[in-house]
Amino acid sequence: MWQILSRRNWSFTQKGLEERYLMAKQLLSLKKQGWSDQILAQAVARKEDMSDSRVGSYLFRTLWQLEKVHKTPRQLLQLLVTSVGMPEDVTGELVENQALVAQFYPELAPHDPFWWELSRIVNQAFPEQMMSQNDLLARQLHQLRYVISSQQAEYVRKHFKHVGETDSQALARYLRQTYPFRYWKKDYTIGSSARLHNKLKFEKGDKWYPSGYSSFNIKILIHFHTEFILDSQGHFLNEMDAQRIDEIGVVNGASFNYGKAGKRHWDLDVQPVGPHDPDFRNRATKGFRAPNRSGRKDSDYEHSYFNPQGFYAKDGLSSYQQTKLVVQDFKRLLKKRRYGVKTRTL
């Protein structure tokens, strides 16, 4: 510690001693997060501001880039979960959700290249099906996906949501301003299959929507990794939302994707749900099932996403068709400079 502090010269005045004491406190905190002495010494020598180490801050990015030279992908990821303060199992309680989201720099945007870099590092650290093994770091990283999605929703709300608006209106404004040119539209997709985010429960012939209201939920992806789920009323759905906790969010909410479409998405994002989902979500999702992909000639067509008369359908439209209507509503929001278009009420 004193060798690191010796990289800077402070005067033996009251102000100098106070600055030295404050720097020592900051360094102890950073060492506890896992940053190495070598990297901290470099930052001190460069007279970096050490006061804000939240994920995505200038200091975090500086230290992260320096550590990448010396640490393995797994060591970097351990540093990340320690910096966030990820427990062995999240509780889903609002106070904890807010505390975990607060560990991210508020200006860290959903389209920031840091997220794509993080995905590459996870991909390197967990080849094949390693993400689904009995591994504390894998469990923490899986649950971190829910925290990241909540942080990204909070970014949109903070920077793009006006008083009285829905999350849908804020997200539309964010996409319009972030991707103003047509050729940038390839960076995000609207209307990707949201089948797994439209779970229902069936008991004694009755159909139960989570949170008790009819909703057909849609998905918006940025570079496939960043994921937003919106319900029919224009609310973000998140397992660990930082503003409210509701059943529909826990059951059908968004989760950041480490993988890309295909096998690695299955390896890193789908299979780990079984072994690594937190207890609070396992309890909440009990009995809820997503529609299947059966065709008309299949025996379980009644539970199909595409059946207009099936269990998941409403008003003669399949769950798939209903979600397409909500997608159309959202695309109309994108075309409006003044977001006066109402979302579909079901």
Side-chain angles (χ1 to χ4, degrees):
M1 169 64 73
W2 300 116
Q3 289 181 339
I4 299 176
L5 288 172
S6 67
R7 297 295 187 97
R8 293 272 297 275
N9 294 318
W10 284 278
S11 62
F12 283 96
T13 62
Q14 180 174 343
K15 181 180 179 182
L17 292 173
E18 288 175 350
E19 290 177 351
R20 188 182 182 92
Y21 174 72
L22 177 61
M23 178 65 73
K25 285 182 62 178
Q26 293 168 346
L27 287 172
L28 286 171
S29 177
L30 290 166
K31 282 172 63 68
K32 189 175 181 180
Q33 292 175 10
W35 303 104
S36 66
D37 286 353
Q38 178 184 0
I39 299 308
L40 292 176
Q42 290 183 46
V44 170
R46 290 162 53 167
K47 298 185 178 181
E48 300 286 359
D49 181 355
M50 311 292 276
S51 61
D52 188 351
S53 64
R54 288 176 294 180
V55 177
S57 67
Y58 176 80
L59 176 63
F60 178 90
R61 292 174 189 270
T62 299
L63 299 178
W64 181 263
Q65 293 302 317
L66 293 171
E67 288 283 18
K68 281 168 56 179
V69 179
H70 306 284
K71 281 183 163 45
T72 65
R74 186 178 176 91
Q75 289 172 330
L76 280 171
L77 294 171
Q78 183 62 63
L79 195 156
L80 175 65
V81 298
T82 303
S83 296
V84 176
M86 288 297 295
E88 292 187 14
D89 226 21
V90 293
T91 65
E93 296 177 358
L94 184 61
V95 172
E96 183 185 65
N97 296 353
Q98 293 170 338
L100 291 171
V101 169
Q103 298 308 308
F104 290 83
Y105 188 59
E107 303 304 314
L108 180 57
H111 60 279
D112 193 288
F114 171 75
W115 301 119
W116 328 143
E117 180 185 18
L118 172 60
S119 300
R120 288 195 300 271
I121 294 173
V122 172
N123 206 312
Q124 294 168 358
F126 293 92
E128 299 180 343
Q129 288 81 43
M130 293 298 294
M131 192 73 171
S132 300
Q133 302 304 309
N134 184 15
D135 182 323
L136 176 58
L137 180 59
R139 186 174 183 84
Q140 290 173 309
L141 286 168
H142 169 72
Q143 296 182 16
L144 181 64
R145 297 170 58 215
Y146 301 146
V147 180
I148 292 172
S149 284
S150 183
Q151 184 273 336
Q152 294 179 333
E154 283 301 291
Y155 176 92
V156 172
R157 287 166 172 160
K158 176 184 176 182
H159 293 84
F160 295 91
K161 189 174 183 178
H162 296 172
V163 175
E165 290 188 332
T166 64
D167 293 330
S168 289
Q169 289 169 305
L171 182 59
R173 182 176 292 111
Y174 162 72
L175 292 175
R176 280 174 57 86
Q177 294 187 18
T178 306
Y179 303 102
F181 301 112
R182 183 175 297 276
Y183 62 87
W184 282 350
K185 298 290 191 293
K186 61 181 174 59
D187 292 332
Y188 68 88
T189 58
I190 301 170
S192 298
S193 176
R195 181 179 63 87
L196 297 178
H197 299 274
N198 280 279
K199 300 180 185 73
L200 302 179
K201 184 186 293 187
F202 301 93
E203 292 182 347
K204 299 178 181 179
D206 293 326
K207 177 165 60 177
W208 296 88
Y209 288 91
S211 293
Y213 66 91
S214 172
S215 180
F216 294 91
N217 313 313
I218 66 170
K219 180 192 296 186
I220 292 91
L221 297 174
I222 299 177
H223 289 280
F224 192 82
H225 297 296
T226 289
E227 178 177 280
F228 296 102
I229 305 297
L230 292 165
D231 72 2
S232 300
Q233 298 182 7
H235 301 133
F236 281 136
L237 299 184
N238 289 302
E239 285 89 341
M240 297 178 61
D241 198 271
Q243 294 194 10
R244 65 179 193 175
I245 298 175
D246 47 19
E247 186 179 43
I248 188 173
V250 177
V251 172
N252 286 320
S255 54
F256 182 82
N257 294 317
Y258 295 130
K260 294 290 285 184
K263 186 178 185 300
R264 289 307 279 159
H265 176 50
W266 181 266
D267 293 341
L268 297 174
D269 306 314
V270 179
Q271 278 193 323
V273 171
H276 294 321
D277 247 11
D279 290 340
F280 87 89
R281 188 164 191 259
N282 287 330
R283 292 193 300 270
T285 57
K286 187 175 182 180
F288 284 98
R289 296 290 180 269
N292 61 42
R293 290 176 288 199
S294 298
R296 291 183 180 181
K297 296 182 179 180
D298 295 323
S299 59
D300 201 20
Y301 186 52
E302 287 184 326
H303 290 90
S304 176
Y305 190 43
F306 307 104
N307 187 343
Q309 302 299 326
F311 293 135
Y312 289 85
K314 183 178 180 182
D315 299 333
L317 296 175
S318 68
S319 181
Y320 170 77
Q321 291 170 318
Q322 290 281 8
T323 59
K324 289 302 180 185
L325 293 178
V326 183
V327 166
Q328 290 174 16
D329 286 341
F330 184 76
K331 287 183 175 180
R332 280 193 285 270
L333 285 180
L334 278 173
K335 296 177 181 178
K336 295 289 184 179
R337 291 191 176 277
R338 298 182 183 276
Y339 298 102
V341 178
K342 296 182 178 179
T343 52
R344 186 173 299 276
T345 301
L346 299 170

